[in-house]
Amino acid sequence: MQAIYTARRQKLLENKPENTMVVIFSGRAPMKSLDESYPFAVDRNFFYLTGIERENMILVLRKDYRGTYSETLYIEPYDEVLAKWVGGRMRNAEATAISGIQNIDSVESFPDRLASIIESSRGLGKLNVYLDLWRYHKDQADTPAHTLAATLQSRYPAVGIEEIYGDMAAMRAVKGEEELKFMRQAQEHTRIAIEEMLAYCKPGMNERELEGSFDFALMKQGVREHAFPSIVAGGARATTLHYAENNQVVNDGELVLIDLGSAYGNYCADISRTFPVNGKFTERQKELYNAVLEAQRIVIENAKPGLTTRDLNQLVIDYYESRLDDLGLRKNGKGVRDYYYHGVSHQLGLDTHDICTDRERTLKPGMVITVEPGIYVEDEAIGIRIENDILITENGCEDISAAIPKTVEEIEAAMAK
Ligand code: GLY
Ligand code: MN
Ligand code: MN
C-alpha cells in the first residue's frame, strides 16, 4: 500500500502551481471530563494520503518555487510512560513503513517549520497553502485547518489560503483496486452477519437484541468496526429514516427494517434489508416489498457512466408514479414523495456518505454508490428500504452486495435456517 499512498500524495500536487503547500491534520479525539477521551476517528483525507490512523499528526506536502516536491509527516514523539498505559505512539520508522514518507519530524516543531517555510518564500511569488476548509453546517466546530487558516490570514496576509476539498473528492470518489478489495471484504463480513441476524430473529425480541446478533456475528469474524450506528426499526418506526434508538420490541406480523454495515480498513458497507419478524411476508407486505425491489432493479440495470445520481433517483420516482394506483397509495391527495422522501444514491467509501461535490454526482467508472429505494407507509406501519452498493464500470455497474439475501424467497429461506 505504501506506493499507493505515495502516488496519491504526488497526484494531489501534480497540477498545483509552484510555491504550494498542502497541510492535512489527522485530528484528535475530543476529551471527556477528566483524563479519558471519546473514540478517535482519523480524518479520512489524512488516512487516504498516509494509511496512518493516529492522533495529532500533520501531513505537509510542498512544491517549492522551483517546482521541487517534498513531504514531511509531523508526529508525536515516542513516550515510554504512555507506552505502559495505552501502548506506544508510532515510531518514526513505522510511520515511514506505512506511509512511504521518509521525512518525519516532531509535531511540536510544526509551527516553527511552517514559519520558516513562509519566511523563505519571501519575494518568490505568492505562497498558497491548501487546507480542507469545507463545512457542511455553518455552525460546525472549527477544525485545526480552520484555526490554521485564521492564524495565517492574520499573521501572514500575503499567504494565499486555498481549498483542497474538491481535489480530495475527485480522487477519493474513484476507487482503485486495493480500495475495492477492502470494500468487497466489508460486504462479505456484513453478508455473514445479516444472515445470522435473519436466522436469529423471532417475534417478541427487542430491536437491541437483533442489533446485538449482528454485532456478535461481526465480532466472531474479528470485526468490530461499523460504518455507522446500526438502524433496527420494527413496524412504524421504520418510517423514520434514521431511527437509531433500537429499543422496542418487534412483533409477529410486523416488518423490521435494518440499515447497517461493517467497515474494513475504514472502507464502509451500507446495506438495508427489510424482513418479516415471523419469517413470512404477508401478501400486502410482499406487494409493497416487490415494488421497492423492482425500483432497485431498474436503477441497477440502468446505472452507468455519464448518468447522474439525480437521473437514477428520477427512475425510482417515475416507476413509483406508475405503480401508485395499483399499490393503493394514491389516496388523500398523496403522491410519490409522500412515500419516498430521500434520494436513491450517495457515494460510498471511507465515509458512509462519502466525500462529494456536485461533480461527483455524474457517474464515472470506479465510483461506488448505494442504491436504496424505499417506501414508507405510515398508516400501515410499514417502512421498507432495500439498499445495495454498486461499483460503476465502463458500461454499467456491478452489484457488490449481490450475495446478500434480498428477494422474498431468499429472505424467507434465510429466516427459516
Ligand atoms: N445508512 C445511511 C444511509 O443509508 O444513507
Ligand atoms: Mn444505509
Ligand atoms: Mn446509504
Side-chain angles (χ1 to χ4, degrees):
M1 288 296 287
Q2 197 197 75
I4 292 172
Y5 300 125
T6 301
R8 287 176 185 165
R9 293 190 297 272
Q10 287 174 358
K11 181 162 184 227
L12 190 61
L13 254 76
E14 209 169 64
N15 300 316
K16 296 279 174 283
E18 279 90 53
N19 254 344
T20 286
M21 279 178 79
V22 177
V23 183
I24 310 267
F25 297 83
S26 74
R28 301 188 82 159
M31 291 301 287
K32 294 189 178 175
S33 308
L34 191 62
D35 59 351
E36 300 165 287
S37 55
Y38 290 96
F40 170 66
V42 69
D43 178 273
R44 275 14 191 183
N45 291 332
F46 180 88
F47 180 77
Y48 182 80
L49 295 168
T50 63
I52 297 177
E53 217 176 333
R54 294 288 181 116
E55 287 187 65
N56 201 19
M57 293 189 173
I58 308 171
L59 172 67
V60 175
L61 310 179
R62 269 187 84 194
K63 196 189 256 186
D64 71 11
Y65 74 96
R66 290 173 297 239
T68 308
Y69 176 80
S70 64
E71 49 185 30
T72 306
L73 184 64
Y74 293 88
I75 73 175
E76 290 180 321
Y78 195 83
D79 181 325
E80 300 289 351
V81 177
L82 198 71
K84 292 196 191 316
W85 283 79
V86 292
R89 285 182 180 144
M90 192 170 272
R91 294 188 191 268
N92 291 9
E94 194 186 346
T96 296
I98 298 172
S99 65
I101 300 169
Q102 301 299 325
N103 198 18
I104 311 283
D105 205 340
S106 160
V107 74
E108 282 142 28
S109 64
F110 172 72
D112 286 346
R113 296 275 190 275
L114 181 63
S116 66
I117 291 170
I118 293 171
E119 283 156 24
S120 70
S121 73
R122 180 180 52 227
L124 298 173
K126 187 173 165 197
L127 173 68
N128 290 307
V129 178
Y130 282 78
L131 300 163
D132 177 5
L133 297 170
W134 201 77
R135 291 184 208 264
Y136 189 74
H137 293 297
K138 66 177 177 359
D139 48 3
Q140 207 168 318
D142 279 355
T143 63
H146 293 117
T147 307
L148 178 61
T151 306
L152 289 175
Q153 277 168 335
S154 92
R155 294 185 57 81
Y156 301 100
V159 168
I161 303 293
E162 300 287 342
E163 171 67 281
I164 200 72
Y165 185 94
D167 298 270
M168 294 306 311
M171 284 176 71
R172 281 176 49 188
V174 176
K175 272 69 182 175
E177 275 311 313
E178 288 301 320
E179 294 180 284
L180 291 170
K181 276 189 209 156
F182 284 104
M183 297 196 78
R184 290 182 200 280
Q185 185 61 66
Q187 295 288 326
E188 182 59 7
H189 289 145
T190 303
R191 177 189 68 78
I192 290 169
I194 286 177
E195 288 186 5
E196 287 207 25
M197 189 204 237
L198 289 172
Y200 186 76
C201 183
K202 296 280 172 303
M205 265 180 191
N206 195 286
E207 291 161 349
R208 202 152 283 186
E209 188 177 345
L210 274 179
E211 179 181 359
S213 71
F214 176 79
D215 289 354
F216 187 44
L218 283 186
M219 295 263 194
K220 282 191 280 183
Q221 301 177 74
V223 176
R224 190 163 65 174
E225 207 183 344
H226 286 67
F228 54 91
S230 300
I231 295 168
V232 181
R237 295 179 295 287
T239 63
T240 303
L241 296 182
H242 285 173
Y243 168 80
E245 285 80 6
N246 304 354
N247 61 1
Q248 302 295 309
V249 168
V250 295
N251 294 308
D252 200 1
E254 287 178 343
L255 290 177
V256 56
L257 185 160
I258 58 168
D259 184 347
L260 33 70
S262 69
Y264 189 67
N266 286 325
Y267 284 89
C268 300
D270 183 8
I271 303 294
S272 300
R273 289 291 182 266
T274 308
F275 51 91
V277 172
N278 64 13
K280 276 271 172 212
F281 285 87
T282 65
E283 286 309 309
R284 175 59 172 163
Q285 288 167 348
K286 214 182 282 184
E287 185 181 32
L288 291 170
Y289 187 89
N290 281 331
V292 179
L293 197 59
E294 177 62 8
Q296 196 200 49
R297 192 197 63 75
I298 291 170
V299 172
I300 294 174
E301 187 179 281
N302 284 282
K304 61 173 188 207
L307 292 186
T308 66
T309 49
R310 286 192 192 94
D311 296 330
L312 301 185
N313 200 41
Q314 195 58 47
L315 291 173
V316 176
I317 293 169
D318 291 348
Y319 174 68
Y320 283 163
E321 185 56 43
S322 76
R323 294 292 313 277
L324 220 53
D325 289 303
D326 72 272
L327 290 171
L329 295 176
R330 205 185 301 281
K331 53 189 180 194
N332 308 324
K334 288 194 172 161
V336 170
R337 283 320 228 169
D338 295 300
Y339 300 104
Y340 170 61
Y341 29 84
H342 54 82
V344 76
S345 293
H346 55 80
Q347 295 279 346
L348 184 69
L350 287 172
D351 288 300
T352 305
H353 290 189
D354 211 22
I355 190 166
C356 188
T357 68
D358 204 46
R359 191 172 50 194
E360 285 77 43
R361 293 190 197 284
T362 303
L363 303 179
K364 289 195 188 76
M367 286 181 168
V368 178
I369 61 166
T370 63
V371 182
E372 48 181 306
I375 281 185
Y376 310 94
V377 190
E378 213 176 330
D379 56 12
E380 296 184 51
I382 288 179
I384 298 168
R385 183 160 63 253
I386 308 173
E387 176 172 24
N388 282 33
D389 304 328
I390 63 170
L391 166 67
I392 303 299
T393 58
E394 292 297 329
N395 304 312
C397 73
E398 177 198 335
D399 181 356
I400 62 172
S401 316
I404 304 174
K406 183 172 77 168
T407 63
V408 165
E409 296 72 26
E410 286 165 353
I411 298 245
E412 290 184 350
M415 294 190 77
K417 278 188 184 151

